[in-house]
Amino acid sequence: MRVSRTTKLTLEYDGGPFAGWAVQPGKRTVAGELERALRVVLRQDVDLVVAGRTDRGVHALGQVVSYDGPLPLLRSVNAVLPDEVAVLEAQEMPDGFNARHDARSRSYLYRVLARRTPSPFERGRALWWPHPLDVDALQACVAALPGTHDFTAFTPAETYHQRFERDVRSAAWSHEGDVVVFRIEADSFMRAMNRVLVGTMLEVAGGRRSVEDFVRLLEGRPRAEAGVTAPPHGLYLASVRY
């Protein structure tokens, strides 16, 4: 009788030096580095399944991957991984567990440094925003997000997505010192969705569009009607819920 094991890994990474999660020929990627480290430690190749593919420059605090194969020793795999990537936890799961398809929701956060001067400590970690910021407008925007909406306006017009409705479980803006943090949990996300949401909400907070305009975008308006795409270095995949 076949005996198989499925392993679940939770990891964090600084996305700055990488061309995104997915393996790409000739480019340095998070998946490429993790596959290489596991090959060294396990002495076998594994096929990784990821809960949420991150784009170039996007970070992760609680990314989840699965593969069919044995558990690695955390100390060993982290010794082989580059400094920008760390495996936080390794768990043996029931046969057939899939990090992507078994996920019930994902959570992201976006960090905005809202002050007149930049910070060398937040460089590459938060979007520096030295412009006026109407926090009440941000809160009015985010209050409209929970529920099921058509997010066509918040993903590139040229896309592989077939379904544009997403169920947002929660969304909020909060202050952490000079950093304003947007947090959102949904069943799943489309490419660049959170970055366009942030870029558009910042336009509302800067007085360049109204809250009512933002709310109308949730009805499936075309991408051209939404705002700019915020840069990737402020975005983090925070956690995955199973």
Side-chain angles (χ1 to χ4, degrees):
M1 186 168 80
R2 183 178 71 94
V3 177
S4 63
R5 287 183 289 177
T6 299
T7 292
K8 171 188 172 188
L9 302 180
T10 303
L11 59 149
E12 63 183 13
Y13 50 82
D14 171 3
F18 300 104
W21 166 267
V23 173
Q24 302 174 56
K27 295 184 179 180
R28 189 174 183 232
T29 67
V30 182
E33 294 288 356
L34 182 57
E35 287 180 354
R36 180 186 62 83
L38 290 171
R39 187 181 305 119
V40 170
V41 173
L42 301 177
R43 292 186 169 86
Q44 68 179 69
D45 291 324
V46 294
D47 294 323
L48 299 177
V49 176
V50 68
R53 290 173 59 169
T54 50
D55 291 334
R56 175 189 294 271
V58 176
H59 315 296
L61 302 173
Q63 177 68 278
V64 177
V65 301
S66 60
Y67 62 86
D68 291 333
L71 288 170
L73 187 63
L74 284 186
R75 184 172 62 182
S76 298
V77 74
N78 283 324
V80 180
L81 281 168
D83 293 340
E84 300 93 348
V85 185
V87 176
L88 306 178
E89 186 178 29
Q91 298 172 272
E92 187 170 321
M93 303 296 289
D95 187 18
F97 171 80
N98 185 291
R100 180 176 180 82
H101 298 305
D102 290 339
R104 304 185 70 171
S105 68
R106 288 96 170 154
S107 296
Y108 282 82
L109 63 85
Y110 195 99
R111 305 177 71 249
V112 179
L113 177 66
R115 71 183 197 187
R116 295 181 62 186
T117 57
S119 166
F121 301 107
E122 294 291 353
R123 183 174 178 270
R125 301 287 186 274
L127 169 63
W128 176 41
W129 190 258
H131 314 293
L133 193 69
D134 184 341
V135 176
D136 289 339
L138 288 180
Q139 299 294 3
C141 287
V142 84
L145 285 176
T148 301
H149 306 285
D150 186 330
F151 287 93
T152 300
F154 299 96
T155 195
E158 298 296 327
T159 180
Y160 56 84
H161 294 293
Q162 302 295 317
R163 179 179 69 90
F164 295 90
E165 286 190 346
R166 295 295 186 271
D167 179 26
V168 176
R169 312 289 173 80
S170 64
W173 283 95
S174 61
H175 270 92
E176 296 179 2
D178 290 329
V179 177
V180 185
V181 183
F182 170 61
R183 289 182 171 84
I184 183 169
E185 179 183 358
D187 57 345
S188 62
F189 293 87
M190 294 184 291
R191 185 182 174 205
M193 175 176 156
N194 287 316
R195 292 166 57 199
V196 182
L197 278 170
V198 170
T200 307
M201 284 189 282
L202 288 176
E203 290 183 6
V204 176
R208 286 182 282 169
R209 63 172 70 223
S210 68
V211 174
E212 292 72 23
D213 176 51
F214 176 82
V215 174
R216 279 194 297 272
L217 293 172
L218 299 174
E219 299 172 355
R221 306 301 301 167
R223 171 66 184 92
E225 294 186 18
V228 299
T229 304
H233 64 267
L235 183 63
Y236 299 72
L237 172 57
S239 62
V240 184
R241 189 190 301 270
Y242 292 93

